Amino acid sequence: MTSLIFASEGFGLNLNIFETNIINLAVVVFGLYKFLPGFLGKILERRRTSILSDLKEAEERLAQAKDSFSKAKDELASAKEKADKIRNDCKARAEAIRLDSEKRTVEEMARIKQGAASDLNAEAARVTSQLRKEAAELAIEKALAILPKKLDSNTQDNFLKQSIKNIGDNN
């Protein structure tokens, strides 16, 4: 039983319900219409909830990351300030150490120079004393060599009397 309406060459409508499976298609379409929205709706709702949850979690992590980044920037600025302070303190300490070292060096050089001058003066005084002693000894030797020739017994008696008189006047 073929009932083709408007059948012409190649295309036409087939109104036979059993041949065209219109009942099967209607049952499938009705089943999809009745059951698919609930089934797909639940799947889509769970997926939507999961995506919203993931978005919310991502926003929270972004906020935490921004806070951490801000704290890290503050800590970096603080660390830079501390590093600059330490660097300046080290420079000041190095300058103070250098100045103290220079001061001690100058004082040590002055002490050494003073010690050398003191040693030189002591040596000069010793040499002068030695020269005076030697000059006195030479003068005594010459006087002892010349005196016996120049002093006769009369002059010696007068010299002795004068010496005794001088000794008596001193007492």
Side-chain angles (χ1 to χ4, degrees):
M1 271 208 225
T2 340
S3 72
L4 279 173
I5 300 179
F6 306 113
S8 59
E9 286 193 29
F11 184 72
L13 287 177
N14 187 358
L15 297 177
N16 186 352
I17 294 177
F18 296 109
E19 272 185 24
T20 57
N21 283 330
I22 289 180
I23 295 175
N24 289 340
L25 286 173
V27 169
V28 169
V29 169
F30 177 75
L32 286 174
Y33 175 75
K34 189 72 176 165
F35 299 110
L36 194 61
F39 177 72
L40 274 178
K42 288 178 186 176
I43 291 174
L44 291 174
E45 184 62 30
R46 278 185 292 199
R47 182 72 182 139
R48 181 178 166 272
T49 306
S50 172
I51 289 172
L52 287 176
S53 169
D54 289 346
L55 282 174
K56 208 177 262 187
E57 188 178 309
E59 286 175 352
E60 289 174 0
R61 283 185 289 170
L62 177 64
Q64 288 176 349
K66 284 181 180 179
D67 287 344
S68 295
F69 181 68
S70 175
K71 287 177 184 177
K73 280 172 56 176
D74 292 344
E75 289 174 0
L76 177 64
S78 174
K80 283 183 179 179
E81 287 176 9
K82 286 180 182 178
D84 289 341
K85 184 180 182 298
I86 289 170
R87 187 178 302 115
N88 291 336
D89 289 347
C90 288
K91 285 180 181 178
R93 181 171 167 92
E95 183 65 21
I97 289 171
R98 185 185 64 79
L99 291 175
D100 185 52
S101 177
E102 286 177 1
K103 180 182 171 187
R104 280 188 278 150
T105 301
V106 167
E107 288 173 354
E108 184 66 19
M109 288 173 61
R111 187 187 64 76
I112 289 171
K113 186 176 179 182
Q114 185 179 11
S118 174
D119 289 347
L120 182 65
N121 289 340
E123 186 64 20
R126 188 190 66 76
V127 168
T128 304
S129 172
Q130 183 70 25
L131 286 174
R132 283 184 187 161
K133 182 180 174 189
E134 288 177 12
E137 287 176 357
L138 277 174
I140 290 172
E141 280 181 26
K142 274 188 178 183
L144 287 176
I146 294 174
L147 265 179
K149 294 177 188 171
K150 287 193 173 185
L151 285 179
D152 57 0
S153 66
N154 230 359
T155 311
Q156 280 181 358
D157 284 339
N158 284 337
F159 179 71
L160 280 173
K161 285 179 187 176
Q162 187 67 30
S163 293
I164 291 172
K165 182 178 178 192
N166 284 338
I167 290 175
D169 288 341
N170 285 336
N171 285 338

